Amino acid sequence: MNVSLADPVRESELRVSTDGSSVSLRGITKSFGVQEVLHGIDLDIPAGQFVAIVGRSGCGKSTLLRLVAGLDKPTSGTVEIDGRATGWRDTVRLMFQEPRLLPWQRVAANVEVGLSHRKSGDDRRRLAIETLAQVGLDDRAKEWPSVLSGGQKQRVALARALVSHPRILAFDEPLGALDALTRIEMQSLIEQVWQDKGFTAIVVTHDVTEAVTLADRVLLLDAGRVAMDVTVDLPRPRRHGDPEAAAIEGRILDRLLGR
């Protein structure tokens, strides 16, 4: 669903997704050697919700994201997707800060990497081109990644994540390396594809403004625990500098900075 500035819709009025998956974490701890990074996390994310996770460096944001994505296992506790503790990893995709494109493959072939479970052939290429069109890059399908800008490379990475129709899309600082204008454009694109596809989105970011711009809900991690859980019930798309959004940002920053 696309929402225009002329017809704002509050988050409470948005449709309930049937294309995303619910996430449930119970008693999650994660240790690396003697260092415990996450401490007894209990968290529920409804299907289709957009959640942002913020916090200081080293607070456990990326660790939590990797557990949800199935790239790591908790030391104790359970991670369930749609009520299942196993067998769900193919429904989750993770997008990183670096595009991680294969330089020896053209753009369309890089997107096809996200379809590794499908047989090669015309079907793979068709799906790749269709997904590139969703991020505005179908005209660059035959080019090499080296000729693309940083923002365009991230669009290709987004297409690669989207092409398999994930039910959960996790983002680990995906826009951190982009310039300010490109970052705003990518925020709008991520919001658009999330509204169109209905997947559950979980983004880790150091940028509180970005979190409030994108998310239905902002979680603040502090020392491996959820210190704040803030609902962002504002119309979409959100304008930078909006006073209501700024007030929410201020609350989060006050807690983050200990003011």
Side-chain angles (χ1 to χ4, degrees):
M1 180 178 66
N2 291 320
V3 182
S4 70
L5 286 171
D7 184 25
V9 177
R10 301 197 73 86
E11 299 308 300
S12 58
E13 298 172 0
L14 291 173
R15 65 179 172 83
V16 175
S17 170
T18 58
D19 299 316
S21 288
S22 62
V23 181
S24 178
L25 287 76
R26 289 291 176 269
I28 293 294
T29 67
K30 181 61 181 178
S31 299
F32 297 97
V34 298
Q35 182 181 10
E36 190 173 73
V37 178
L38 297 176
H39 313 286
I41 299 285
D42 292 313
L43 181 63
D44 290 297
I45 300 174
Q49 190 172 66
F50 200 131
V51 174
I53 304 173
V54 300
R56 295 179 180 274
S57 295
C59 70
K61 302 186 301 298
S62 293
T63 299
L64 181 60
L65 200 69
R66 289 178 61 85
L67 294 178
V68 173
L71 298 181
D72 207 346
K73 294 182 179 180
T75 303
S76 63
T78 59
V79 179
E80 293 187 349
I81 307 296
D82 290 332
R84 294 180 294 145
T86 59
W88 45 260
R89 293 188 180 187
D90 286 344
T91 70
V92 187
R93 290 293 179 268
L94 180 60
M95 182 175 167
F96 299 94
Q97 181 173 339
E98 307 83 15
R100 303 189 179 190
L101 303 182
L102 304 176
W104 59 87
Q105 295 278 20
R106 297 185 187 270
V107 166
N110 267 280
V111 176
E112 288 182 52
V113 170
L115 291 168
S116 57
H117 62 290
R118 292 176 180 264
K119 295 181 179 180
S120 60
D122 293 340
D123 187 46
R124 289 172 60 96
R125 182 53 54 95
R126 176 184 58 79
L127 289 169
I129 299 300
E130 288 176 357
T131 310
L132 281 168
Q134 293 167 13
V135 301
L137 284 181
D138 50 317
D139 59 336
R140 312 298 292 272
K142 296 181 179 180
E143 296 189 10
W144 299 103
S146 60
V147 305
L148 302 181
S149 68
Q152 289 169 335
K153 290 176 181 177
Q154 280 297 68
R155 285 173 181 255
V156 177
L158 178 59
R160 182 180 58 201
L162 289 171
V163 72
S164 63
H165 302 289
R167 297 180 64 85
I168 299 174
L169 188 48
F171 303 86
D172 194 359
E173 287 283 349
L175 312 182
L178 302 179
D179 64 84
L181 182 58
T182 304
R183 187 166 186 152
I184 291 172
E185 291 173 342
M186 281 295 296
Q187 288 170 2
S188 297
L189 177 60
I190 289 171
E191 180 181 47
Q192 177 186 326
V193 295
W194 165 71
Q195 290 177 318
D196 287 345
K197 302 298 183 183
F199 53 80
T200 304
I202 308 172
V203 60
V204 162
T205 178
H206 283 91
D207 188 335
V208 176
T209 299
E210 180 170 274
V212 174
T213 297
L214 287 174
D216 300 323
R217 178 183 178 195
V218 179
L219 304 176
L220 170 60
L221 286 194
D222 185 17
R225 294 182 171 87
V226 178
M228 289 186 77
D229 188 339
V230 181
T231 299
V232 185
D233 188 14
L234 298 176
R236 293 182 183 273
R238 296 167 186 160
R239 291 181 179 274
H240 287 261
D242 175 80
E244 290 185 271
I248 297 173
E249 293 170 30
R251 287 172 51 204
I252 297 169
L253 285 170
D254 284 347
R255 181 63 180 269
L256 182 61
L257 299 174
R259 297 193 298 227

